[in-house]
Amino acid sequence: MLYSIFQSHKDEQVHKWTHYFPVYERFFKDFVNKSLVMYEIGVSRGGSLQLWKKYLGPFATIVGIDINEASKKYEDEQCKVRIGDQADLDCLRKVVDEFGQPDIVVDDGSHVMRDLDVSFRFLYPLLNNNGVYIVEDAHSCYLPEFGGGLGKPSSFIEKAKEMIDVLNSYHYKKEDKVDDFAKSTFSISFFDSMIVFEKRRRGKPYDLMRGNPDL
């Protein structure tokens, strides 16, 4: 569905890798025609705001965040644009105060390691339950000009790998020592150039068994 919308899109320019579309469909399909707030960091030429509006439907509030003042021209009755740096916490706070906590965040901004980290650490805890946070164009994590590099500790991918251990921390920490990331994260998924976090409040895992063990 989303790819078909993209193929027929004739308005402002949208620039996406082809393999992103099945990922979007997998994680966004349950949001279609629901009341929600989406933040997209990085407005570029405005086309992706239009794409999300067409796909998610009329009840979605879509907020673009960009450092370029010219991005304001892509606003309409459903898509709003706020100007600011994604690593500026005051800017992010103002967006949250104005539009509320997000259900979806797509980080398609600077792709600089520090910016990815600052935005994630501020916005992810505010993501609503059952929300989705996507860091896209994550191949920048391997590029020195963005502060990345294969195996480099500052790379957001390296930090996300460490979060896998945190996600599983119920199995090696006492329950009262498990942090909120583990308690509120259902999954971390890695794709080519994308990392997807699913926010879902959960407790300690319990082992279940049903049926006759002798069969």
Side-chain angles (χ1 to χ4, degrees), residues 31 35-39 101-105 127-133:
F31 291 101
S35 178
L36 66 101
V37 176
M38 176 183 191
Y39 296 169
Q101 295 181 201
D103 300 283
I104 298 173
V105 177
L127 194 69
N128 284 323
N129 195 41
N130 296 315
V132 175
Y133 194 112

Side-chain angles (χ1 to χ4, degrees), residues 54-154:
K54 292 175 183 177
Y55 175 65
L56 293 171
F59 307 113
T61 298
I62 300 160
V63 184
I65 303 170
D66 203 288
I67 60 173
N68 187 351
E69 290 277 357
S71 299
K72 288 287 287 183
K73 68 183 179 182
Y74 301 118
E75 279 197 320
D76 61 26
E77 75 289 345
Q78 191 176 345
C79 299
K80 305 302 178 184
V81 176
R82 294 297 176 262
I83 304 303
D85 190 320
Q86 71 175 100
D88 181 346
L89 296 184
D90 286 337
C91 166
L92 297 178
R93 284 191 191 98
K94 288 177 182 176
V95 171
V96 174
D97 288 345
E98 182 177 2
F99 296 101
Q101 295 181 201
D103 300 283
I104 298 173
V105 177
V106 174
D107 188 342
D108 188 21
S110 73
H111 309 310
V112 172
M113 296 305 104
R114 177 181 177 275
D115 295 350
L116 296 178
D117 190 55
V118 170
S119 300
F120 180 83
R121 293 189 183 280
F122 180 78
L123 290 175
Y124 186 75
L126 298 177
L127 194 69
N128 284 323
N129 195 41
N130 296 315
V132 175
Y133 194 112
I134 295 184
V135 176
E136 64 178 50
D137 294 347
H139 51 274
S140 68
C141 295
Y142 300 102
L143 303 177
E145 58 265 38
F146 291 94
L150 181 62
K152 191 171 181 179
S154 61

Side-chain angles (χ1 to χ4, degrees), residues 1-4 6-7 14-26 51-52 136-137 139 191-194:
M1 179 181 174
L2 179 58
Y3 189 61
S4 297
F6 171 75
Q7 287 181 307
V14 185
H15 183 203
K16 296 289 184 185
W17 292 97
T18 307
H19 67 275
Y20 285 6
F21 288 93
V23 179
Y24 294 140
E25 292 267 16
R26 179 188 299 188
L51 188 71
W52 300 130
E136 64 178 50
D137 294 347
H139 51 274
F191 304 87
D192 181 355
S193 301
M194 300 179 87

Side-chain angles (χ1 to χ4, degrees), residues 144-209:
E145 58 265 38
F146 291 94
L150 181 62
K152 191 171 181 179
S154 61
S155 163
F156 189 80
I157 279 184
E158 292 302 315
K159 293 180 180 181
K161 291 177 186 177
E162 293 174 1
M163 293 179 209
I164 297 171
D165 290 330
V166 179
L167 182 66
N168 286 281
S169 56
Y170 273 110
H171 304 291
Y172 61 86
K173 284 186 176 181
K174 293 182 178 179
E175 190 169 355
D176 62 348
K177 300 297 183 182
V178 173
D179 71 12
D180 196 62
F181 180 84
K183 293 177 180 177
S184 64
T185 301
F186 181 72
S187 74
I188 308 170
S189 302
F190 293 82
F191 304 87
D192 181 355
S193 301
M194 300 179 87
I195 310 169
V196 183
F197 300 84
E198 288 184 282
K199 184 86 171 283
R200 191 178 308 170
R201 182 61 58 176
R202 66 191 185 99
K204 181 179 179 180
Y206 289 96
D207 189 28
L208 297 175
M209 183 178 295

